[in-house]
Amino acid sequence: MMDKLKVKQSLNLQGEVKISGAKNAALPIICAGILAGSKLELTNVPNLKDITTLVKLLQGMGIKIQFADNQMQIDANGLNNFVAPYELVKTMRASILVLGPLLARFGKAQVSLPGGCAIGARPVDQHIKGLTAMGAKIEIEHGYIKAVANRLRGARIVMDMVTVTGTENLLMAAVLAEGTTTLENCAREPEVYDLANCLVKMGAKISGIGTDKMVIEGVEKLSGAQHAIIADRIEAGTYAVATAITMGDVTLTNTRFETMGAVIDKLTQAGALITHGADWIRIKIGQKVKAVDLKTVPYPGFPTDMQAQFIALNTIANGTATVVETIFENRYMHVSELRRMGADITVDDNIAVIKGVNTLMGTTVMATDLRASASLVLAGLVATGETIIDRVYHLDRGYENMEFKLNNIGAQIERLK
Ligand code: UD1
């Protein structure tokens, strides 16, 4: 049986939420363990379904991994199998992140093509183009990317679009390549620079970290290191919206304020009062939120992974908001579920127009992807009565202890097994 969540109307959330390490930083950094000749030791690793899926994938390759209490040790020296099978890749597209490191250190890899996913086609052509430029021979056979290389060599690569995992894969390939690689049009997401910083601790030579042009001087080998995963800005943003939508007063701890500029700006426009230190953010809101327009773009602009949550916020705001999704096609699956709760939303192509309504009504809704699920929980917090959310495994992929964290600040959420 699949778990469900029962969310009761829970207004005015109050208290403190400790933010976990970022899923999207932990995934590539764990894969960077493949590159290390000795143990890579990570802290602040979130305990999530996507992380355990990756652990299973790497263990299947012969890598030794210990994971407990948000700490992980990775020892890749026993690696003897270079295949990322379809059964695991289909449940988590980020499995593609093993491709660059496997090729760079061992000269071979077979990774299942991820295939379509609920939020669009999401091709991996840029990963393949970049690795080919570094000298890899890549063929697509029977649904698998089959890649071989002698030592990769440095190249100048200009990515056609800003891709987060594409940048990460090519970065991990370049650190062990022979000579200099220039990566242009890089994603500048904090998760990318967290990976780059970890690689530097392992002995990589990278300049331009945090910019759209990184220059990598390949080295012969890398060693293990110790690294703490950066705070999850999307998780923090989700709890910030939970605070705003319920007109609460919540302090988020273990955060990184400077990674959250675009989201904080929108919350301020919506009427929230924000105060912060380097590692905490307090969100307080005394009146119903105002509608906020937004457009998703690569970092440092507004993140696509916060789009669904802000649509939920806009459903009960004063006024009308226009949301434009420019990163993924077909990322509005939450809209039809929110409409069933009484939201007034129209979608035309990639533009959603949300007219604020006075109340949402609880009902049974279905989660369709990770962030869409989060938006349904947020809507459930303000909807009258009870909201039952089906297929919450999507939520468990990316939020550590969500119902525990929300209940701790006054929400009434129950997991139905
Ligand atoms: C990552 C994040 C995901 C986030 C997304 C955008 C991880 C594990 N996941 O996903 O949560 O929503 O960034 O911020 O970090 N594209 C191509 N060809 C490619 C690669 C990408 O056409 O080879 C396109 C995609 O279809 C999409 C856009 O580029 O339209 C951006 O995708 P990308 O940044 O690669 O997303 P992910 O890295 O998969």
Side-chain angles (χ1 to χ4, degrees), residues 3-20:
D3 290 6
K4 295 178 185 171
L5 283 187
K6 182 163 89 181
V7 183
K8 281 195 191 150
Q9 190 183 47
S10 316
L11 302 176
N12 197 229
L13 299 182
Q14 303 255 355
E16 241 180 64
V17 179
K18 187 177 169 209
I19 298 306
S20 298

mmCIF file of all heavy atoms in Angstrom, residues 3-20:
data_model
loop_
_atom_site.group_PDB
_atom_site.id
_atom_site.type_symbol
_atom_site.label_atom_id
_atom_site.label_comp_id
_atom_site.label_asym_id
_atom_site.label_seq_id
_atom_site.Cartn_x
_atom_site.Cartn_y
_atom_site.Cartn_z
ATOM 1 N N ASP A 3 1.652 5.049 1.014
ATOM 2 C CA ASP A 3 1.318 5.970 2.100
ATOM 3 C C ASP A 3 0.523 7.166 1.584
ATOM 4 O O ASP A 3 0.679 7.598 0.454
ATOM 5 C CB ASP A 3 2.600 6.517 2.749
ATOM 6 C CG ASP A 3 3.332 5.454 3.539
ATOM 7 O OD1 ASP A 3 2.908 4.289 3.480
ATOM 8 O OD2 ASP A 3 4.324 5.797 4.200
ATOM 9 N N LYS A 4 -0.319 7.674 2.477
ATOM 10 C CA LYS A 4 -1.040 8.921 2.199
ATOM 11 C C LYS A 4 -0.760 9.885 3.332
ATOM 12 O O LYS A 4 -0.406 9.467 4.434
ATOM 13 C CB LYS A 4 -2.543 8.664 2.142
ATOM 14 C CG LYS A 4 -2.945 7.772 1.007
ATOM 15 C CD LYS A 4 -4.432 7.494 1.019
ATOM 16 C CE LYS A 4 -4.698 6.497 -0.087
ATOM 17 N NZ LYS A 4 -5.969 5.935 -0.145
ATOM 18 N N LEU A 5 -0.990 11.161 3.087
ATOM 19 C CA LEU A 5 -0.908 12.134 4.176
ATOM 20 C C LEU A 5 -2.279 12.738 4.379
ATOM 21 O O LEU A 5 -2.970 13.065 3.416
ATOM 22 C CB LEU A 5 0.068 13.269 3.840
ATOM 23 C CG LEU A 5 1.572 13.034 3.933
ATOM 24 C CD1 LEU A 5 2.284 14.358 3.711
ATOM 25 C CD2 LEU A 5 1.985 12.422 5.260
ATOM 26 N N LYS A 6 -2.658 12.865 5.653
ATOM 27 C CA LYS A 6 -3.895 13.567 5.987
ATOM 28 C C LYS A 6 -3.487 14.891 6.614
ATOM 29 O O LYS A 6 -2.854 14.922 7.662
ATOM 30 C CB LYS A 6 -4.722 12.734 6.969
ATOM 31 C CG LYS A 6 -6.041 13.382 7.322
ATOM 32 C CD LYS A 6 -6.990 12.377 7.945
ATOM 33 C CE LYS A 6 -6.782 12.357 9.452
ATOM 34 N NZ LYS A 6 -7.668 11.386 10.123
ATOM 35 N N VAL A 7 -3.839 15.984 5.928
ATOM 36 C CA VAL A 7 -3.458 17.322 6.397
ATOM 37 C C VAL A 7 -4.717 18.040 6.869
ATOM 38 O O VAL A 7 -5.664 18.206 6.098
ATOM 39 C CB VAL A 7 -2.803 18.136 5.254
ATOM 40 C CG1 VAL A 7 -2.337 19.492 5.752
ATOM 41 C CG2 VAL A 7 -1.642 17.359 4.632
ATOM 42 N N LYS A 8 -4.725 18.438 8.147
ATOM 43 C CA LYS A 8 -5.855 19.224 8.658
ATOM 44 C C LYS A 8 -5.509 20.701 8.566
ATOM 45 O O LYS A 8 -4.344 21.070 8.692
ATOM 46 C CB LYS A 8 -6.116 18.885 10.128
ATOM 47 C CG LYS A 8 -6.867 17.603 10.323
ATOM 48 C CD LYS A 8 -7.404 17.533 11.751
ATOM 49 C CE LYS A 8 -7.930 16.141 12.035
ATOM 50 N NZ LYS A 8 -7.795 15.775 13.439
ATOM 51 N N GLN A 9 -6.531 21.520 8.406
ATOM 52 C CA GLN A 9 -6.277 22.962 8.367
ATOM 53 C C GLN A 9 -5.458 23.360 9.591
ATOM 54 O O GLN A 9 -5.816 23.006 10.723
ATOM 55 C CB GLN A 9 -7.594 23.729 8.358
ATOM 56 C CG GLN A 9 -7.373 25.210 8.073
ATOM 57 C CD GLN A 9 -8.659 26.008 8.125
ATOM 58 O OE1 GLN A 9 -9.456 25.879 9.061
ATOM 59 N NE2 GLN A 9 -8.875 26.833 7.122
ATOM 60 N N SER A 10 -4.356 24.064 9.367
ATOM 61 C CA SER A 10 -3.421 24.388 10.448
ATOM 62 C C SER A 10 -2.905 25.806 10.239
ATOM 63 O O SER A 10 -1.895 26.015 9.579
ATOM 64 C CB SER A 10 -2.223 23.440 10.431
ATOM 65 O OG SER A 10 -2.588 22.093 10.223
ATOM 66 N N LEU A 11 -3.617 26.794 10.784
ATOM 67 C CA LEU A 11 -3.230 28.184 10.531
ATOM 68 C C LEU A 11 -2.178 28.654 11.526
ATOM 69 O O LEU A 11 -1.972 28.045 12.566
ATOM 70 C CB LEU A 11 -4.477 29.072 10.594
ATOM 71 C CG LEU A 11 -5.564 28.644 9.590
ATOM 72 C CD1 LEU A 11 -6.818 29.498 9.752
ATOM 73 C CD2 LEU A 11 -5.045 28.708 8.162
ATOM 74 N N ASN A 12 -1.479 29.737 11.126
ATOM 75 C CA ASN A 12 -0.570 30.425 12.040
ATOM 76 C C ASN A 12 0.540 29.524 12.596
ATOM 77 O O ASN A 12 0.708 29.386 13.808
ATOM 78 C CB ASN A 12 -1.415 31.021 13.190
ATOM 79 C CG ASN A 12 -0.641 32.075 13.950
ATOM 80 O OD1 ASN A 12 -0.579 32.055 15.166
ATOM 81 N ND2 ASN A 12 -0.014 32.973 13.238
ATOM 82 N N LEU A 13 1.317 28.909 11.736
ATOM 83 C CA LEU A 13 2.438 28.074 12.183
ATOM 84 C C LEU A 13 3.452 28.933 12.938
ATOM 85 O O LEU A 13 3.741 30.059 12.546
ATOM 86 C CB LEU A 13 3.112 27.399 10.975
ATOM 87 C CG LEU A 13 2.229 26.464 10.142
ATOM 88 C CD1 LEU A 13 3.045 25.841 9.009
ATOM 89 C CD2 LEU A 13 1.597 25.374 11.003
ATOM 90 N N GLN A 14 4.000 28.378 14.011
ATOM 91 C CA GLN A 14 4.906 29.137 14.887
ATOM 92 C C GLN A 14 6.028 28.245 15.374
ATOM 93 O O GLN A 14 5.760 27.119 15.793
ATOM 94 C CB GLN A 14 4.158 29.566 16.169
ATOM 95 C CG GLN A 14 2.916 30.367 15.960
ATOM 96 C CD GLN A 14 3.124 31.833 16.276
ATOM 97 O OE1 GLN A 14 4.198 32.211 16.735
ATOM 98 N NE2 GLN A 14 2.126 32.650 16.009
ATOM 99 N N GLY A 15 7.246 28.753 15.400
ATOM 100 C CA GLY A 15 8.345 27.993 16.012
ATOM 101 C C GLY A 15 9.583 27.951 15.132
ATOM 102 O O GLY A 15 9.844 28.893 14.379
ATOM 103 N N GLU A 16 10.292 26.834 15.211
ATOM 104 C CA GLU A 16 11.584 26.720 14.536
ATOM 105 C C GLU A 16 11.659 25.448 13.702
ATOM 106 O O GLU A 16 11.209 24.400 14.131
ATOM 107 C CB GLU A 16 12.676 26.597 15.606
ATOM 108 C CG GLU A 16 13.679 27.719 15.560
ATOM 109 C CD GLU A 16 14.738 27.545 16.646
ATOM 110 O OE1 GLU A 16 15.488 26.555 16.604
ATOM 111 O OE2 GLU A 16 14.771 28.430 17.519
ATOM 112 N N VAL A 17 12.227 25.542 12.522
ATOM 113 C CA VAL A 17 12.445 24.357 11.686
ATOM 114 C C VAL A 17 13.925 24.284 11.328
ATOM 115 O O VAL A 17 14.499 25.257 10.837
ATOM 116 C CB VAL A 17 11.641 24.433 10.363
ATOM 117 C CG1 VAL A 17 11.913 23.194 9.511
ATOM 118 C CG2 VAL A 17 10.153 24.554 10.631
ATOM 119 N N LYS A 18 14.529 23.127 11.566
ATOM 120 C CA LYS A 18 15.926 22.934 11.188
ATOM 121 C C LYS A 18 15.994 22.394 9.761
ATOM 122 O O LYS A 18 15.413 21.358 9.450
ATOM 123 C CB LYS A 18 16.583 21.957 12.162
ATOM 124 C CG LYS A 18 18.059 21.843 11.941
ATOM 125 C CD LYS A 18 18.707 20.935 12.971
ATOM 126 C CE LYS A 18 20.135 20.657 12.523
ATOM 127 N NZ LYS A 18 20.622 19.370 12.972
ATOM 128 N N ILE A 19 16.687 23.109 8.916
ATOM 129 C CA ILE A 19 16.752 22.740 7.500
ATOM 130 C C ILE A 19 17.842 21.674 7.276
ATOM 131 O O ILE A 19 18.907 21.728 7.881
ATOM 132 C CB ILE A 19 17.022 24.013 6.651
ATOM 133 C CG1 ILE A 19 15.859 25.019 6.836
ATOM 134 C CG2 ILE A 19 17.229 23.682 5.179
ATOM 135 C CD1 ILE A 19 14.473 24.470 6.546
ATOM 136 N N SER A 20 17.553 20.736 6.409
ATOM 137 C CA SER A 20 18.481 19.635 6.112
ATOM 138 C C SER A 20 19.490 20.043 5.041
ATOM 139 O O SER A 20 19.373 21.103 4.422
ATOM 140 C CB SER A 20 17.688 18.429 5.611
ATOM 141 O OG SER A 20 16.790 17.979 6.603
#
